Amino acid sequence: MLTKSAILDGAFSSQQKEFVKLKIKELGDAKMTSTSHGYREGEERPIIDVAKEGEKRFARTSRESAAIGLMDVVLAANRDYNRAVKPHVDAMRERYKGLTIKQLQSMIAAAGSASEFKKVWGHNDARKFSILRAVVNAFVPLLQEVDNTEHDYHIVSEWAKSAAVITKSDDIIGRIPGIGTATFQHLRMTFGADTVKPDQRVKEVLEREFGLKASDRHAILAVEQMSKIVGYSPLIIDQIFVKYGSGYYYRTRP
């Protein structure tokens, strides 16, 4: 079991370090199940393999269209990703290849409401529509006169790598109403930051498997400390926890 003092100080005993190594190996060796985040039919592979592939995909898919990457993250908050989000994101990637952030801003303005924007991203959610509009409007001034996907990714990636949870309240994205720490971190990861999203799944794994009931900040710190112990990036550990938590705490069939 881990303690908050050990997490805060980074002072793990040799027994705690061995426990972390063995536990993360156990979680990573577990097979993907039908409810695991990112599961594909018939691919009951070890979670660690899919997590490593996921680390590479984070930046690749958002580089193809930062605009769709932004929509993906906003939609994902507090949703069953496989069932309620992924099909719509996959459809957008086919329908709106090369969509830029400025083009997305125009689409949002033309729609005017969540009900009309449902035609774009498949959800009639006024709160998420408002958050997306605010996020897009915050990034557009940084793009200046350039309007292409490569520049979009470069600008958002610069933000992602320089932003920090500790200064979230003063950040152009972090201060937007409705952007919690988990969504803030998810955006950063999607655009190249090597960090962790302290969402429900991650915190559940920390509590159930490591005995650590953690706040968002402590969850982030815990994963960062674990990454030093096991030699995986924080993002890979995040993916192991998300896929294990969704796959084994919420199984709907074997």
Side-chain angles (χ1 to χ4, degrees), residues 218-233:
H218 284 153
I220 294 169
L221 189 56
V223 172
E224 289 174 345
Q225 298 285 13
M226 290 177 182
S227 76
K228 297 175 184 177
I229 294 172
V230 300
Y232 290 146
S233 70

Side-chain angles (χ1 to χ4, degrees), residues 159-184:
W159 164 80
K161 293 174 182 177
S162 62
V165 170
I166 196 170
T167 56
K168 177 181 176 295
S169 61
D170 297 320
D171 186 89
I172 62 167
I173 301 300
R175 66 190 180 209
I176 293 172
I179 297 285
T181 301
T183 298
F184 181 75

Side-chain angles (χ1 to χ4, degrees), residues 238-249:
D238 169 278
Q239 291 296 287
I240 292 172
F241 287 5
V242 168
K243 295 177 190 308
Y244 187 88
S246 58
Y248 286 86
Y249 303 157

Side-chain angles (χ1 to χ4, degrees), residues 181-194:
T181 301
T183 298
F184 181 75
Q185 288 292 94
H186 193 185
L187 278 168
R188 294 185 61 221
M189 292 163 64
T190 298
F191 290 93
D194 183 11

Side-chain angles (χ1 to χ4, degrees), residues 39-44 253:
Y39 172 79
R40 294 181 180 180
E41 192 68 36
E43 290 192 351
E44 288 78 16
R253 65 177 187 265

Side-chain angles (χ1 to χ4, degrees), residues 66-106:
I68 293 175
L70 295 177
M71 290 191 281
D72 189 359
V73 173
V74 172
L75 283 177
N78 303 310
R79 291 287 186 273
D80 179 333
Y81 189 84
N82 285 358
R83 180 182 63 80
V85 178
K86 187 177 184 298
H88 298 294
V89 174
D90 288 345
M92 287 192 292
R93 287 193 175 121
E94 286 298 316
R95 189 183 309 126
Y96 303 116
K97 288 182 178 178
L99 182 69
T100 68
I101 293 175
K102 287 185 177 180
Q103 289 169 345
L104 177 58
Q105 184 186 48
S106 296

